[in-house]
Structure formats: C-alpha cells, structure tokens
Amino acid sequence: MLTNALNGLVYGSLLFVLSSGLVLVYGLRRVVNFSHGALYMLGAYIGYSIALRYGFTAGVLAGGIALGLVGIVLDLLVFRNLSDRNPLVTVIVTFGVFLVLEDIVKSVWGTQNYTLDPPAALAGVVEIGGNPFPAYRLFIIGASFLMAMILVVWLKFGRTGLFVRAASVDPSVAAMCGVRTDLLGPAVVGLGAAFAGFSGIIAAPFLSLHPAMGSEILVLSFVVSVIGGLGSFVGAFVSAMLLGQMQAFGTVYMPELASLLPFLLMSFILIWRPQGLGGRSA
C-alpha cells in the first residue's frame, strides 16, 4: 500500500512539473500547446545523449537549457502569432510542431528504445516502512517539488513573476503600465519548455526513451490541465497528485480499467465543474 502511494507520488510529481509548462504558456499566451509532449521527449533525448558522455547532472542541465532555447524560438516564430487566434488554428499549428519535432527525434536517434541508468549515488534502495523503495524515485519527488517551489516563489514574490501574473490577466494593461510583454512572452514560453525538458531527462531513468513517449505523456498532461483548470497551478497540482495515485493503485487493483480511470475522472469533473478544480467560471 505504501509503495503504491509512493509510486503514485512519483508519477504525479512528474505530471505536475510537465503540466506547469502548459499552465505557464496558456496563462500568458492563451495558447493550448499541443507540442508540449514533443518538448518533453526532445529534452529526454538531448539529456540522454549528454549524460552518456558527461554525466547525469550535465544531461539534466543540457536538457533543460536546450529546451528553454527551443521554447524561446517557438514563441518568436509560432506562439506569439497564435495569441487570441481561433482555437482550431492553434491546435493544428501546435500539433504540426509536435509532428516536426517527433520526426527530428526519429531522424537523429532512430526508433529504438533507450534506457538511462540513474547516477551511482541514487542507484540503490532505501527502507520506508519496512519496504524497499528505489532511491532514484525519491529523488524524482524531491526534484519535482523543488522545481515547483521555485516556480511558486518566483511567481508570488519575484518582480518578474508579478509582471507575468499581471500580463496573464490583461497583457494590454500590463504593457501600458510599463511591462515589456514583448520580452516577457519568450521568457515565459522558454521557461515552460525548460520545465518540459527537465521532466523528460529526470524521467529517463524511470521510464524508457522511445519516439512515442511524447504523445503518451501529452494526453495525460492535458488531462491534468483540464481537471485542474487551464491556467491554475493549484488545480494542476491537485489534479496531478490525484492522477498519480489513480495510476499507481489502478494498475495494481484494476489493471483492466487503469488506462480509463483518468478520462473517467476528467468526464466527471467536466460535468460537475466545467472550469476545472482551480479554474474560474467565465
């Protein structure tokens, strides 16, 4: 029971960090980014390649920084022009970006599966409640919560974080008050993409790398965002923790329904509270 709960916390932590990037981009650009799963996948592959040569820490840094730069480029070329556009146009364009990035990964790394060993210091197990539990999975929980806390503190107390919150409410008014929204947008989208890259490489020793990993995680990250309410970090956190536990316990006790449980929960939430757990009604 405890092991299942911890596994659910591991998976939920990854989902929250990944969906945080979606929340950031939607909050500022009002763009539902269907390429986010490909950013997660690209970060995992870049980090994997660097980690094999220079070590795991270098791989984590490379995955996050490289995807941050990719996010900035995507905002300047794509997302900035999609703000307030027809949602169908946004879906088509961002999904097209997803397919392009997926083809790049297949061309560079091929279609085979890759595995990455955790660093030696985190390769063992620890005793929790009398049960052995992989140390690396505890690291995933700690790293995910650290990134989440940094994001919350930045948005809540940082000067730039205040500008982000103001621009997400009304970018025109924020610009008239002196906020450089033209610079803020690429920075925020880059940060969201960096979170996806960090998630990808941190998940690599926990989940294998393969070209379909982006589409698999994309679906669940959107389920998290919809249940939590688009643009709500608190809602995304609650939703990610719920889905993590549902996946962990569902796989053990209801394996035939485990893949359906997140969608059943999403359907119930949308009927009961269409704006999501943390969303505001229009």
Side-chain angles (χ1 to χ4, degrees):
M1 184 72 72
L2 179 60
T3 301
N4 290 335
L6 288 173
N7 283 328
L9 189 58
V10 172
Y11 199 57
S13 300
L14 282 174
L15 284 177
F16 173 66
V17 174
L18 183 63
S19 59
S20 294
L22 283 173
V23 173
L24 276 172
V25 174
Y26 181 82
L28 189 67
R29 289 297 191 203
R30 292 297 186 268
V31 170
V32 180
N33 180 18
F34 274 80
S35 66
H36 203 66
L39 300 178
Y40 161 85
M41 175 179 60
L42 184 60
Y45 274 92
I46 291 175
Y48 165 81
S49 298
I50 299 299
L52 289 182
R53 178 167 296 187
Y54 301 106
F56 183 76
T57 301
V60 171
L61 293 175
I65 293 171
L67 267 294
L69 296 175
V70 171
I72 291 173
V73 172
L74 284 178
D75 184 72
L76 294 174
L77 298 180
V78 181
F79 296 149
R80 174 178 293 183
N81 300 317
L82 291 177
S83 296
D84 300 321
R85 296 288 294 273
N86 187 303
L88 182 59
V89 173
T90 299
V91 169
I92 293 173
V93 173
T94 56
F95 189 69
V97 173
F98 175 94
L99 295 177
V100 169
L101 293 177
E102 189 176 60
D103 282 344
I104 290 174
V105 167
K106 290 178 180 178
S107 298
V108 175
W109 286 278
T111 58
Q112 65 269 38
N113 287 18
Y114 294 98
T115 57
L116 179 65
D117 294 328
L122 299 171
V125 297
V126 295
E127 290 285 335
I128 301 178
N131 298 312
F133 193 77
Y136 185 78
R137 297 190 184 187
L138 293 178
F139 166 76
I140 292 176
I141 296 173
S144 299
F145 273 86
L146 177 61
M147 286 190 282
M149 289 305 300
I150 291 173
L151 180 62
V152 169
V153 170
W154 173 63
L155 288 172
K156 191 76 173 178
F157 303 106
R159 181 179 176 85
T160 310
L162 174 63
F163 293 162
V164 171
R165 288 188 287 133
S168 66
V169 174
D170 194 320
S172 300
V173 174
M176 287 188 290
C177 293
V179 176
R180 293 290 303 275
T181 54
D182 57 328
L183 298 178
L184 196 62
V188 169
V189 174
L191 181 62
F195 267 64
F198 279 126
S199 300
I201 182 57
I202 288 175
F206 176 56
L207 306 169
S208 64
L209 279 69
H210 54 90
M213 64 185 293
S215 56
E216 291 175 357
I217 202 71
L218 175 67
V219 174
L220 283 176
S221 62
F222 269 105
V223 171
V224 168
S225 300
V226 171
I227 292 175
L230 289 172
S232 171
F233 285 102
V234 174
F237 176 79
V238 174
S239 174
M241 293 301 111
L242 281 174
L243 259 64
Q245 297 302 321
M246 289 180 69
Q247 288 288 94
F249 282 94
T251 302
V252 175
Y253 297 106
M254 293 184 293
E256 67 280 356
L257 294 177
S259 60
L260 295 178
L261 290 177
F263 303 101
L264 293 175
L265 177 62
M266 182 176 68
S267 300
F268 171 76
I269 294 296
L270 289 177
I271 293 172
W272 169 62
R273 187 177 170 84
Q275 68 270 31
L277 296 176
R280 292 175 293 181
S281 57

